[in-house]
Amino acid sequence: METFFQQVINGLVLGSMYALVALGYTMVYGIINLINFAHGEILMVGALTAWTVITALQGSGLPGWALMLIGLVCAVLVCCVLNFVVEKVAYRPLRNAPRLAPLITAMGMSLLLQVLAMIVWKPNPKPFPRLLPSDPINLGGPVITVTQCLILGLTVVILAALVYLVSATRLGRAMRATAENPRVAGLMGVKPDFIISTTFVIGAALAAVAGLMWAANYGVAQHSMGFLPGLKAFTAAVLGGIGNLAGAVLGGVLLGLLEAIGAGYLGELTGGVLGSHYVDIFAFVALILVLTLRPSGLLGERVADRA
């Protein structure tokens, strides 16, 4: 039973990181019906930017939490500028093109960002410094680290902030209006181009946070680290109901739990045929089942509220 609860904690942490990335996917999709497959690479850029800043400042005598905060701010700024440029250069000219064109462009941008990151940061994995206390907190058997507590707390705070932003602010109303009908929203004084760019910037900030948390939790950053989390976060967004903020978080948490619990028991259930390194199959089996049985996701896409 102790193993089960430990895997539940691991799954909640993993699912929270998926949820942060899935929120970026679902916000962009809610506004312009575009799947930004380069979003995982924004996570990677955030992690490597934070690594660069933190390693450069390690000899300054600053405490670990201050280094993490500075690294996070720099990562958010770089990722926001990058995603703003990506939207301007790669997606805006294709906004009225057939849907296949921006999809292919998104895949090409993903590969381009990976190659550029490999040139800038080199292909070898970067050990990420341990900035917070590494002693585990005992929960009566299962354990959790300070970094994992931070990940869970950030996810809750960010989701609450996004829900408030979308439902109770002027920007949120403009987002909902643009999602409903950009042309009519423009006639009512909303600037759709500004709203779309702002949505990309918010998604980039979420990916930057997820990138730093991912690197801090697993202790490594590299140019290819964003592809699989990005793909799984997209799966989580579809699982929960893409276009729905709560659905993105629900899908991320469920996917994280499914992977973690599966990793703990897969070898035992299959008699050793499949081990924990086969855990990636769960995400894509879940995606197939959801697309087959409930294409709108667990919560469905609430067209009037999507953002």
Side-chain angles (χ1 to χ4, degrees):
M1 203 63 179
E2 183 178 322
T3 301
F4 173 77
F5 285 117
Q6 183 63 61
Q7 293 304 101
V8 167
I9 292 173
N10 295 339
L12 289 173
V13 173
L14 180 61
S16 295
M17 291 187 286
Y18 287 156
L20 288 174
V21 185
L23 284 168
Y25 274 114
T26 208
M27 289 185 71
V28 170
Y29 181 84
I31 295 290
I32 57 174
N33 289 344
L34 169 70
I35 302 299
N36 179 18
F37 279 115
H39 197 59
E41 276 55 54
I42 302 298
L43 175 150
M44 171 268 295
V45 170
L48 287 172
T49 300
W51 172 84
T52 302
V53 173
I54 290 168
T55 52
L57 295 176
Q58 264 195 307
S60 64
L62 291 171
W65 64 266
L67 290 175
M68 179 173 282
L69 182 59
I70 294 171
L72 177 60
V73 170
C74 293
V76 168
L77 290 175
V78 169
C79 288
C80 288
V81 171
L82 176 61
N83 222 24
F84 179 81
V85 172
V86 167
E87 191 273 330
K88 288 276 190 183
V89 173
Y91 299 140
R92 183 168 297 186
L94 299 174
R95 194 170 295 165
N96 298 317
R99 287 195 177 185
L100 189 59
L103 181 64
I104 295 172
T105 301
M107 294 178 179
M109 185 57 65
S110 172
L111 294 174
L112 176 62
L113 291 177
Q114 281 194 45
V115 172
L116 291 176
M118 186 168 57
I119 293 171
V120 173
W121 283 287
K122 310 305 177 187
N124 55 303
K126 312 291 188 296
F128 201 86
R130 293 288 179 184
L131 302 174
L132 300 178
S134 57
D135 295 334
I137 301 169
N138 195 310
L139 301 177
V143 297
I144 189 171
T145 65
V146 175
T147 301
Q148 290 174 330
C149 290
L150 180 61
I151 292 170
L152 294 174
L154 276 176
T155 302
V156 173
V157 170
I158 288 172
L159 175 61
L162 281 178
V163 170
Y164 175 78
L165 172 71
V166 170
S167 62
T169 67
R170 185 176 180 181
L171 176 61
R173 289 192 294 272
M175 285 179 170
R176 297 198 305 273
T178 304
E180 284 289 332
N181 193 317
R183 188 170 300 174
V184 173
L187 294 175
M188 298 178 68
V190 175
K191 298 179 179 178
D193 287 344
F194 172 77
I195 295 301
I196 292 168
S197 295
T198 302
T199 304
F200 270 83
V201 167
I202 294 173
L206 298 176
V209 173
L212 175 58
M213 293 298 103
W214 191 281
N217 188 51
Y218 293 108
V220 67
Q222 59 179 335
H223 73 281
S224 60
M225 65 178 289
F227 176 74
L228 200 54
L231 199 56
K232 290 183 179 180
F234 167 66
T235 303
V238 174
L239 178 63
I242 194 163
N244 186 305
L245 295 179
V249 175
L250 175 64
V253 170
L254 288 178
L255 187 58
L257 288 171
L258 185 63
E259 286 194 9
I261 294 173
Y265 294 97
L266 188 60
E268 181 181 335
L269 292 175
T270 60
V273 176
L274 299 177
S276 60
H277 50 286
Y278 285 95
V279 72
D280 291 338
I281 65 175
F282 287 108
F284 305 110
V285 169
L287 178 62
I288 292 170
L289 290 175
V290 169
L291 290 176
T292 303
L293 302 176
R294 190 177 172 84
S296 62
L298 296 177
L299 298 186
E301 183 182 0
R302 297 181 301 182
V303 177
D305 294 331
R306 62 184 183 173

